[in-house]
Each structure stands twice: as C-alpha cells, then as structure tokens.
Amino acid sequence: QVQVVESGGGFVQAGASLTLTCTAPITIFSISRGYWYRQAPGKKRELVASIGDRGGTEYAQSVKGRFTISRDNDKRTFGLLMNSLQPEDTGTYYCSVRNLWGQGTQVTVSS
C-alpha cells in the first residue's frame, strides 16, 4: 500500500530545534508538491510549509524565518527543520503529498 510516514517529533524546551522527516513512495514523490501541516489542541489543521517539485517553497507567516522545508529526491523525503521552537508550535505535524496523509508526529514545546 502507498504510505506516507512522518518521524522526528519529540519533547523539547523553547528555543530548541527539531527536524521532521516525511518519507513517501517513489510512485507519488516525483513531480509532486509536499506539504507540512500541523494541528494544535483546540485548533484546526493549518498549513505550515510546502515545497514544489522544483524546490519552490511557501511558508505560513508564523514560521517564516524559523522553519525550513526541504526535499531529498534521492531519499524520497520531505524535511522540516524547525528552529527557535516556541510553545505555540506545539501540535501534531502531518505530511501530505498527492492527497495522501501520514499518521502524524507529535511536537511538544515547553516554556
């Protein structure tokens, strides 16, 4: 089956960094835009960042300058480098590609 899998979440203190990784099958990775979403407790799922097949990126205003989305076409992965994490970044982070979703990885940032 086609599966999208996220990893890299954890429990950190404010100011720390985390790198999330999303792995997608080759059949859907190529010529596809990858998306990172997050959902905080009590809030709707929001788009954090996306990256196109040729590397073009878009970011939510709340993470600009702190988060960096990337893609590795050889490893078939989407990455999300999160710097200067704050408590408001807490939530479940999801990877999406070709309308397929992973199960999510939890990021918790304490003050």
Side-chain angles (χ1 to χ4, degrees), residues 46-88:
E46 64 175 343
L47 178 63
V48 175
S50 67
I51 185 167
D53 61 332
R54 287 181 285 184
T57 59
E58 295 182 355
Y59 296 92
Q61 183 63 40
S62 61
V63 306
K64 283 185 177 179
R66 297 189 298 121
F67 291 11
T68 302
I69 189 171
S70 62
R71 67 187 297 152
D72 188 320
N73 294 333
D74 292 328
K75 297 181 179 179
R76 304 194 308 277
T77 60
F78 298 100
L80 185 67
L81 171 60
M82 305 182 294
N83 292 324
S84 302
L85 284 164
Q86 301 298 315
E88 50 264 39

Side-chain angles (χ1 to χ4, degrees), residues 1 6 9 25 30 33 36 40 56-57 63 65-66 76:
Q1 291 183 321
E6 306 97 336
S30 299
R33 191 170 191 88
W36 279 103
T57 59
V63 306
R66 297 189 298 121
R76 304 194 308 277

